[in-house]
Amino acid sequence: MSSPDAPSTHKQAVMAALQWGLVQAFLLDTLGRFLRNYFRATTDAFFPPGWVTSIQVAALLGLLIGGIGGYQWITSGRAATSTSAHSTRVVFIGSLLVGWALAIVPTMTFQWMLGDQLFTRPYFVLPTLTAVSVFLGAYLLAYRVDTEWYRNCRSRLLGAVTGAFVGLMLGIIGFIAYGGYLAATETNYSVSGAPGIVIAVSLCAIAGYVLSDTERSADRSVEFIVLLILSLVILNLVTALTMAALSAVGLPPLGFSSSFILPLLSSVLALGLASYLAYGVKTTIYQRITGRL
């Protein structure tokens, strides 16, 4: 039975569904990426076979099927519904999402150092090893790390993660803006965004680690991360649907420049919206979703 102060069964079921769904989607996506890189490294074909692409597409189906299984797992009474069990699931979900999103940074670092060799043998396995490290890290942090240690380090860890996300967003925004400038001015110059993004992430992560030393700052960091991810997903989905709708009726949005302007706008809006809601309005969306006080 749930303890009196445990979150509601519905919220626990939602978190379990998200955990199971994310694990399924993560594993399928990682397998698909590994096979895609394998075929690129071992054959002359740039694009992998269709069944490899289908595995990555099936990640969305895995998210749905896993979510249904996780929800039933809780509601059928076969899983622990204590406060500590719920908190463990929340930590695992957050760690996996954050690691999954930030895994692009070490991949960019490898590409910066290796160039096109990243997609040759044996280096093509590096992105997969990064993904495996993310999964193991999320598992260890949630299920093996002492809760007292995590509680003491929580503010610093979340501050570093928040800084890393800010650096990643600033690096991407800067790269898109600079790429758009080169295209608009017809400047024939090849540029890689990897060095700038990696440096921005590293510096901002250090700044976030240093500046976050209180429980209150940790709560705001979690709120910012959740809002940023939600904002990016929603805005990018709206942008993609808008572009598809306009193209379907024969009205390409803003012509060629839309490929730069729309992603730039959605990134800037997501960063601004998440910052305003987390630190200005000081919303509590994270607590409402997870049921954690």
Side-chain angles (χ1 to χ4, degrees), residues 13-289:
V14 170
M15 287 297 104
L18 185 58
Q19 181 185 32
W20 281 39
L22 282 175
V23 169
Q24 297 272 8
F26 181 86
L27 294 178
L28 287 171
D29 182 70
T30 300
L31 176 61
R33 290 178 185 275
F34 168 75
L35 291 174
R36 186 183 65 186
N37 291 337
Y38 169 79
F39 279 102
R40 184 174 177 180
T42 58
T43 66
D44 295 331
F46 183 82
F47 295 103
W51 62 270
V52 174
T53 305
S54 299
I55 292 177
Q56 284 190 277
V57 175
L60 295 175
L61 183 61
L63 179 65
L64 176 61
I65 295 175
I68 294 173
Y71 192 90
Q72 292 179 341
W73 184 55
I74 292 291
T75 54
S76 63
R78 289 177 291 175
T81 55
S82 63
T83 302
S84 60
H86 179 68
S87 297
T88 299
R89 295 186 194 106
V90 172
V91 171
F92 177 83
I93 292 168
S95 303
L96 184 59
L97 277 174
V98 166
W100 198 353
L102 293 178
I104 189 177
V105 178
T107 300
M108 283 185 171
T109 304
F110 296 142
Q111 192 166 12
W112 180 15
M113 298 171 60
L114 298 172
D116 291 337
Q117 286 187 335
L118 178 61
F119 303 105
T120 61
R121 289 181 292 184
Y123 303 111
F124 74 91
V125 300
L126 290 176
T128 302
L129 292 178
T130 299
V132 172
S133 300
V134 165
F135 188 87
L136 290 177
Y139 171 77
L140 292 175
L141 185 61
Y143 291 98
R144 289 293 180 262
V145 170
D146 182 72
T147 54
E148 187 64 27
W149 178 89
Y150 173 71
R151 192 176 296 110
N152 293 333
C153 300
R154 179 172 177 263
S155 59
R156 297 290 189 183
L157 288 174
L158 290 173
V161 170
T162 300
F165 268 106
V166 172
L168 179 62
M169 292 301 300
L170 292 177
I172 292 175
I173 290 171
F175 177 67
I176 294 175
Y178 187 56
Y181 166 77
L182 293 179
T185 57
E186 299 183 353
T187 303
N188 187 18
Y189 182 74
S190 177
V191 61
S192 171
I197 293 175
V198 171
I199 292 173
V201 169
S202 301
L203 293 178
C204 290
I206 294 173
Y209 179 87
V210 172
L211 296 176
S212 299
D213 57 355
T214 64
E215 190 65 25
R216 186 175 181 180
S217 65
D219 293 337
R220 289 298 93 201
S221 294
V222 174
E223 190 75 7
F224 172 81
I225 294 169
V226 171
L227 288 168
L228 181 60
I229 292 175
L230 289 175
S231 299
L232 284 171
V233 171
I234 293 173
L235 288 173
N236 285 325
L237 180 60
V238 170
T239 298
L241 291 175
T242 300
M243 293 179 67
L246 291 175
S247 298
V249 297
L251 295 174
L254 304 178
F256 174 76
S257 61
S258 63
S259 60
F260 297 99
I261 294 178
L262 293 180
L264 179 63
L265 287 177
S266 62
S267 299
V268 172
L269 286 175
L271 183 59
L273 182 62
S275 300
Y276 174 70
L277 292 177
Y279 297 102
V281 179
K282 296 183 179 179
T283 56
T284 56
I285 292 177
Y286 167 74
Q287 287 86 347
R288 293 178 183 179
I289 294 175

